[in-house]
Amino acid sequence: MCGIVGAVAERNITTILIEGLKRLEYRGYDSAGLAVYSAQGALERRRRIGKVSELEAAVAAQPLSGKLGIAHTRWATHGAPSEHNAHPHFSGHDLAVVHNGIIENHEELREQLKGLGYVFSSETDTEVIVHLLHHTLKTQPDLTEALKVAVKQLHGAYGLAVISAKQPDRLVAARSGSPLVIGLGHGENFLASDQLALRQVTDRFMYLEEGDIAEIRRDKVSIWNQAGQAVQREAVQYHEGAEAADKGEYRHFMLKEIHEQPTVVQRTLEGRLGSDHVLVQAFGPQAAELFAKVRNVQIVACGTSYHAGMVARYWLEELAGIPCQVEVASEFRYRKVVVQPDTLFVSISQSGETADTLAALRNAKELGFLASLAICNVGISSLVRESDLTLLTLAGPEIGVASTKAFTTQLVSLMLLTLALGQVRGTLGAGVEADLVEQLRRLPVRLGEALAMDATIEKISELFADKHHTLFLGRGAQFPVAMEGALKLKEISYIHAEAYPAGELKHGPLALVDNDMPVVTVAPNNELLEKLKSNLQEVRARGGQLVVFADEQARMSNGEGTHVIAMPHIADALAPILYTIPLQLLSYYVAVLKGTDVDQPRNLAKSVTVE
Ligand code: G6P
């Protein structure tokens, strides 16, 4: 959830730590802190509530410097956001830790450590780690060896980094359930929870695996696996352009990411389409053999990724004739699931580190699924590593907390999955695959046309700025698109937004409709259009303001209280991808009008790596 940065070098690393934290801030941001081993031979710490800029100001006001240090941005789980709960946590004056994840047995450990005379200065679960390590050092004085012993007593999830004033030649780290990556420099080395934090200093990385312990010195990195054996982890060169973490000409990352969609959709399609069919090997070498056996699909995901899964259900059943169930991961992981024979388990995730989605995958392995497939944006994520098959969405790093380009690339990937499964199983109608492959090739251009409606949508957004409630309607595969539109609006503008299948309108939500509740509708030109039109009449009859995104061929026109925005024509199956764009722009412009923090909305985190 939070971010970790660490460094051991021959130069002052304070600014490297702060820059790294800024790059991680999108993951969680209620407080931040750092600890540095100073020239005076002591650990010095600064912590602040709020954004990293607060910490930066504190460091500027009261400078500290050193060649070894750790830093953290926090998103509170145990203990309110406050300075004393912010990391790093100390035991005595000489030992400091930063931690991502949750220590589940922290209460029990806290009692034991209190019994040993340790005094706690925070409500966090993290503080038990540092006291436990301090206690272990009494019998095992080597910091690395002591960490190996201490982590055996921790239950739960952690990615953690430790420094000691008594052994300032190293930074030690442990990974179990929360990612950590080592950044390799020349005569200096770094650590972070995401390589994005370190791209200012290196492009060579070593990814820790589950259960790894690392000892990072200026000139040497040593790693031990879960079994305690010394291991080598491959050093990987990272190629993504450094500009990915910059806003460029855009006012917000979210707007930049919305506008990147034609490019990243194109990238997600590249190398995966033959002349008139999807290349099944894109899903991995065993994909063809496994897909031939698939009789059902179970999709599991959270948030925006869940909405992508909901769209895929319409596609899989309608186009490929394959039964499909979709469920949010936090429900799936805790209920008794009956698995149909030959069911493919599909997880969808931007980050690949969402705790509930990962836990669902791990449960699924025990439940007799045929195989697991991850549709994921991060190639080195836990979800990808733990799945049998992978299809990467090539959206590039997504910084805005509200997901945009990750969603459309997920949809494209799920369409590829639908066509691949249908192709291998021979369940697609004649010509369907060739036609959709052709339409997919044209999709980036259509998306560009939808983005060109930017100014029109900005104007429409004025209708919403003073509203407190809105309704989003759609039918068929556009219902999940309406859900995603409602989610975007509530995430960044804090306006209450609900989505309904349009046919359900008169079973409840119609009671809410009045002049103060705008109703947004996605209305492509399909066989449900006429039904949708009558739903809209029901809204108008109650004085509701309608905003309708309709196909230019749908013959719908503006009228009193009805604002129709004509959309480029597109094949019905791909309409959910296209109609997502104006809804993203709408939420963006409403949020800008309301003056909210678009890229970092209150109370939300980009990657929810704890329950
Ligand atoms: C958080 C993010 C959402 C995201 C969801 C699932 O709630 O704010 O934007 O959709 O997590 O994340 P994932 O990385 O698994 O797609």
Side-chain angles (χ1 to χ4, degrees):
M1 203 72 144
C2 330
I4 288 178
V5 189
V8 50
E10 256 309 297
R11 52 176 166 154
N12 176 19
I13 45 72
T14 313
T15 47
I16 295 174
L17 295 181
I18 290 181
E19 173 63 22
L21 289 185
K22 283 187 178 165
R23 289 166 178 256
L24 291 181
E25 206 174 13
Y26 73 98
R27 294 174 64 105
Y29 37 78
D30 61 43
S31 51
L34 55 78
V36 164
Y37 176 69
S38 71
Q40 290 71 40
L43 293 187
E44 276 199 58
R45 169 170 66 177
R46 303 277 183 278
R47 296 181 292 176
R48 284 294 179 272
I49 301 186
K51 297 200 168 192
V52 176
S53 52
E54 304 286 332
L55 178 69
E56 192 176 23
V59 169
Q62 225 191 331
L64 78 175
S65 72
K67 299 171 181 173
L68 169 73
I70 49 177
H72 190 261
T73 55
R74 178 165 185 256
W75 190 87
T77 52
H78 292 71
S82 67
E83 197 164 309
H84 70 273
N85 281 334
H87 302 210
H89 289 287
F90 277 25
S91 187
H93 299 290
D94 291 338
L95 195 63
V97 67
V98 289
H99 160 230
N100 285 350
I102 285 182
I103 304 301
E104 281 172 346
N105 58 338
H106 72 104
E107 282 175 359
E108 185 189 320
L109 288 171
R110 183 180 274 254
E111 286 317 305
Q112 285 172 18
L113 289 160
K114 276 185 180 167
L116 291 166
Y118 285 96
V119 177
F120 282 76
S121 60
S122 77
E123 289 88 55
T124 63
D125 53 337
T126 301
E127 200 181 346
V128 301
I129 304 172
V130 71
H131 294 315
L132 178 65
L133 186 59
H134 187 274
H135 179 64
T136 313
L137 281 162
K138 290 177 186 163
T139 47
Q140 174 45 271
D142 181 83
L143 183 62
T144 317
E145 295 304 318
L147 183 66
K148 290 183 193 171
V149 174
V151 294
K152 293 209 171 87
Q153 294 180 61
L154 302 177
H155 301 165
Y158 53 83
L160 59 90
V162 180
I163 54 171
S164 162
K166 293 202 174 130
Q167 295 172 58
D169 54 346
R170 72 188 83 165
L171 172 67
V172 292
R175 173 195 166 142
S176 180
S178 277
L180 282 178
V181 55
I182 297 171
L184 304 166
H186 298 286
E188 55 186 16
N189 286 309
F190 308 92
L191 178 80
S193 48
D194 183 329
Q195 79 267 1
L196 192 66
L198 301 178
R199 295 242 301 285
Q200 36 152 346
V201 280
T202 183
D203 60 357
R204 279 201 316 135
F205 298 99
M206 211 177 249
Y207 299 95
L208 292 189
E209 295 194 2
E210 282 296 281
D212 280 358
I213 302 276
E215 179 188 271
I216 304 154
R217 296 169 181 259
R218 261 195 334 101
D219 48 5
K220 187 169 180 228
V221 170
S222 315
I223 300 174
W224 295 265
N225 67 12
Q226 204 147 22
Q229 295 153 333
V231 284
Q232 297 285 338
R233 300 283 175 229
E234 194 192 347
V236 180
Q237 194 93 20
Y238 191 77
H239 290 297
E240 182 69 45
E243 72 290 349
D246 293 330
K247 275 188 271 217
E249 70 196 79
Y250 294 97
R251 187 164 158 196
H252 294 102
F253 279 111
M254 183 181 177
L255 189 60
K256 172 180 176 239
E257 288 160 6
I258 289 174
H259 280 273
E260 277 171 4
Q261 289 177 109
T263 313
V264 295
V265 160
Q266 171 82 43
R267 206 194 292 159
T268 302
L269 290 170
E270 268 160 21
R272 292 164 172 177
L273 298 178
S275 56
D276 58 358
H277 61 283
V278 169
L279 301 175
V280 178
Q281 328 59 304
F283 292 83
Q286 329 95 292
E289 195 191 328
L290 278 170
F291 283 3
K293 298 184 192 146
V294 172
R295 283 197 283 155
N296 299 283
V297 171
Q298 169 73 62
I299 298 179
V300 169
C302 301
T304 289
S305 302
Y306 167 68
H307 294 154
M310 298 248 319
V311 173
R313 182 169 67 128
Y314 287 90
W315 288 341
L316 280 161
E317 300 214 342
E318 201 168 308
L319 299 170
I322 297 175
C324 175
Q325 309 224 34
V326 189
E327 192 162 2
V328 285
S330 54
E331 284 300 311
F332 180 89
R333 67 179 287 195
Y334 286 119
R335 74 178 181 87
K336 164 122 182 53
V337 177
V338 178
V339 182
Q340 297 287 335
D342 300 321
T343 301
L344 177 68
F345 180 89
V346 178
S347 59
I348 310 172
S349 174
Q350 188 286 124
S351 62
E353 302 294 348
T354 300
D356 285 323
T357 310
L358 263 176
L361 168 65
R362 288 172 185 158
N363 286 0
K365 292 192 170 166
E366 312 295 314
L367 293 174
F369 282 96
L370 175 68
S372 56
L373 163 69
I375 305 247
C376 187
N377 198 36
V378 182
I380 39 93
S381 62
S382 308
L383 200 71
V384 167
R385 277 204 305 273
E386 295 181 27
S387 297
D388 303 317
L389 304 171
T390 300
L391 189 71
L392 288 183
T393 54
L394 300 173
E398 190 180 61
I399 310 292
V401 166
S403 188
T404 52
K405 61 177 181 169
F407 180 66
T408 41
T409 53
Q410 283 167 350
L411 289 179
V412 165
S413 305
L414 288 160
M415 177 53 89
L416 294 178
L417 175 65
T418 305
L419 296 176
L421 280 172
Q423 176 198 123
V424 173
R425 307 230 354 107
T427 49
L428 292 168
V432 168
E433 186 172 17
D435 181 42
L436 279 169
V437 163
E438 184 54 34
Q439 299 285 345
L440 280 169
R441 285 210 171 85
R442 293 188 206 151
L443 182 61
V445 175
R446 294 286 96 81
L447 295 178
E449 288 164 10
L451 286 167
M453 296 159 54
D454 196 287
T456 315
I457 294 166
E458 184 173 8
K459 187 93 195 77
I460 286 282
S461 67
E462 291 167 13
L463 265 178
F464 294 78
D466 62 343
K467 298 292 188 288
H468 300 289
H469 306 277
T470 57
L471 206 53
F472 283 70
L473 300 178
R475 277 182 173 265
Q478 295 291 354
F479 165 49
V481 171
M483 291 173 79
E484 175 58 13
L487 176 66
K488 283 294 84 89
L489 192 69
K490 63 187 141 199
E491 279 179 317
I492 59 168
S493 75
Y494 315 147
I495 295 176
H496 171 224
E498 264 193 273
Y500 264 88
E504 274 291 294
L505 186 65
K506 51 173 119 28
H507 297 294
L510 197 54
L512 298 171
V513 170
D514 62 13
N515 196 24
D516 262 343
M517 181 153 175
V519 177
V520 180
T521 310
V522 271
N525 191 16
N526 63 20
E527 73 283 359
L528 294 172
L529 182 65
E530 289 311 315
K531 291 192 189 303
L532 191 70
K533 281 185 182 169
S534 14
N535 299 142
L536 299 187
Q537 288 310 322
E538 293 159 9
V539 172
R540 272 309 298 142
R542 273 105 196 145
Q545 297 281 315
L546 279 170
V547 173
V548 188
F549 295 95
D551 190 292
E552 56 200 9
Q553 298 175 0
R555 296 188 318 278
M556 293 184 74
S557 46
N558 280 319
E560 168 84 26
T562 306
H563 310 266
V564 178
I565 297 123
M567 294 287 295
H569 180 65
I570 189 153
D572 193 38
L574 299 189
I577 311 177
L578 188 73
Y579 280 69
T580 295
I581 306 273
L583 300 188
Q584 294 170 342
L585 287 169
L586 181 66
S587 331
Y588 173 76
Y589 284 115
V590 175
V592 168
L593 277 178
K594 293 201 70 181
T596 59
D597 192 341
V598 171
D599 285 331
Q600 298 181 341
R602 68 185 183 202
N603 306 343
L604 300 179
K606 181 70 188 158
S607 180
V608 183
T609 53
V610 294
E611 255 191 87

